[in-house]
Amino acid sequence: MAEGANSTPAYASAGVDIAAGDRAVALMKEHVGRARRPEQVADPSGFAGLFRLDTSRYRSPLLATSTDGVGTKVMIAQRCDRHDTVGLDLVGMVVDDLVVCGAEPLFMTDYIACGRVVPERVAELVKGIAEGCRQAGCALSGGETAEHPDAMRPDEYDLAGAGTGIVEEDAVLGPQRVREGDAVIAMASSGLHSNGYSLVRRVVDEAALRLDARVPELGTELGEELLKPTRIYAQDCLALAGAVEVHAFAHITGGGLAANLARSLPEGLDAVVDRATWSPPAVFPFVAERGAVGPADMEATFNMGVGMAALVPSASAQRALALLEERGVPAWHAGSVVAGSGKARLEGAYA
């Protein structure tokens, strides 16, 4: 939506309020200003976000890019009429994919599509995105808010984003570095993060659960629990890779722990994870019990309490855990890499 345009009667009658878009831009500027980096350069036209890359800092740099959304978690936000958290989810989904290869996130752009532009709501969405970028250490360099009358109901919206990072070519992390005997370091998730919400919503609806009802085992209202923002690991992973030899990371998103961990393994090696090393947070058994979801389906859908994993030499495991503890990231030695066929498997029972 163009900034600075005036509404026309014809366009307004079709359901597009340009003046509301301008108001949204004005409200979000304060939040965007908190997600800046010194490399940003102003584009006088406002059509693009510019970023000055100092190539002298790098020997052989590679740019990395990632794009993602929040999925149907936005439907929970809409039902709760709370819009300041899903932006953090968006950033987490993008930047924590970037950091898996060792890339430092540099900047992000966002795209908000909605049935009707409500300036205050759009500003709340951008507030969350900007806060996520601040936590990730990247700039929010631009975005777009589009009004889609008829395609979406007035109170509906969706979010998407793309990010760019940088990594030295000889420092790219991944399966090629993993060795037999490596330790699997698990980093705790904040909850469901942003995956599995189609199943969560089905459970909520079929069990007739109220989002504003307090759930004793969760210690909060159900909607509050379901809207907990995704933990953003980017700066913690970069700090870890800067202090300890890290061979690979795995971002635990859709598909669960085993499937995502397997993506960071070479052929000929497996990762064996011991369930007894942690107890999944209460929201996971809550969903399983209320929805009669079996263990295999739970583990293939949700992160089960692990949002990121690092593969490090076993001799570095304790140092890695100490560093993560210093940074406030709950983490533990969850397993090890053994000879195999490029798969990850979970063994035993949860603590």
Side-chain angles (χ1 to χ4, degrees):
M1 183 171 288
E3 183 176 352
N6 294 314
S7 295
T8 65
Y11 213 8
S13 68
V16 177
D17 188 343
I18 296 178
D22 290 344
R23 173 65 175 157
V25 170
L27 290 175
M28 70 177 70
K29 282 184 176 179
E30 174 188 355
H31 306 306
V32 174
R34 298 194 184 104
R36 293 191 58 82
R37 285 178 54 129
E39 301 97 327
Q40 285 179 266
V41 177
D43 171 18
S45 71
F47 280 96
L50 303 179
F51 192 94
R52 180 182 291 108
L53 185 62
D54 183 3
T55 56
S56 67
R57 294 177 51 201
Y58 305 93
R59 301 182 307 278
S60 180
L62 297 177
L63 292 178
T65 185
S66 177
T67 187
D68 211 332
V70 182
T72 62
K73 187 172 185 177
V74 298
M75 298 175 70
I76 301 293
Q78 291 157 23
R79 288 171 63 175
C80 293
D81 194 25
R82 181 175 178 186
H83 314 287
D84 61 341
T85 64
V86 288
L88 283 95
D89 295 303
L90 177 64
V91 176
M93 292 297 100
V94 172
V95 300
D96 286 338
D97 277 357
L98 287 175
V99 82
V100 165
C101 71
E104 174 195 0
L106 297 176
F107 56 84
M108 264 193 71
T109 56
D110 65 70
Y111 179 80
I112 302 171
C114 53
R116 175 171 58 97
V117 170
V118 178
E120 294 77 14
R121 183 171 62 202
V122 172
E124 284 293 288
L125 293 170
V126 174
K127 176 183 178 181
I129 297 170
E131 172 58 20
C133 287
R134 188 195 66 77
Q135 291 183 20
C138 70
L140 180 56
S141 62
E144 169 75 1
T145 300
E147 196 162 32
H148 291 172
D150 302 328
M152 306 175 81
R153 290 193 295 270
D155 291 331
E156 287 183 341
Y157 59 79
D158 199 7
L159 305 179
T164 298
I166 192 166
V167 60
E168 291 282 8
E169 187 171 5
D170 61 4
V172 172
L173 305 178
Q176 74 281 4
R177 294 177 178 265
V178 178
R179 297 291 182 265
E180 185 173 357
D182 280 356
V184 178
I185 303 298
M187 302 180 215
S189 68
S190 58
L192 294 170
H193 283 186
S194 299
N195 300 102
Y197 275 81
S198 294
L199 177 54
V200 169
R201 289 185 300 103
R202 193 202 74 187
V203 170
V204 169
D205 292 342
E206 292 185 355
L209 301 174
R210 290 183 50 176
L211 295 175
D212 61 353
R214 183 173 178 80
V215 180
E217 56 263 52
L218 300 179
T220 188
E221 292 182 359
L222 178 58
E224 187 78 14
E225 176 64 38
L226 298 184
L227 288 178
K228 277 186 178 178
T230 299
R231 187 188 295 272
I232 297 173
Y233 302 92
Q235 289 298 305
D236 303 306
C237 288
L238 292 173
L240 185 63
V244 175
E245 182 181 354
V246 174
H247 290 162
F249 290 114
H251 188 196
I252 314 306
T253 56
L257 178 55
N260 284 287
L261 188 53
R263 296 169 64 180
S264 294
L265 295 172
E267 293 183 10
L269 292 178
D270 285 358
V272 179
V273 175
D274 184 1
R275 294 185 184 94
T277 59
W278 84 99
S279 180
V283 67
F284 297 101
F286 175 85
V287 171
E289 293 165 9
R290 298 302 180 94
V293 184
D297 283 335
M298 289 293 297
E299 291 184 341
T301 306
F302 301 107
N303 65 60
M304 302 305 292
V306 180
M308 181 72 76
L311 302 178
V312 305
S314 59
S316 301
Q318 289 305 313
R319 187 178 175 198
L321 291 171
L323 184 144
L324 291 169
E325 182 180 7
E326 289 173 4
R327 296 184 63 85
V329 181
W332 61 95
H333 189 163
S336 59
V337 175
V338 300
S341 57
K343 298 179 180 179
R345 60 182 187 272
L346 278 60
E347 297 185 344
Y350 292 112

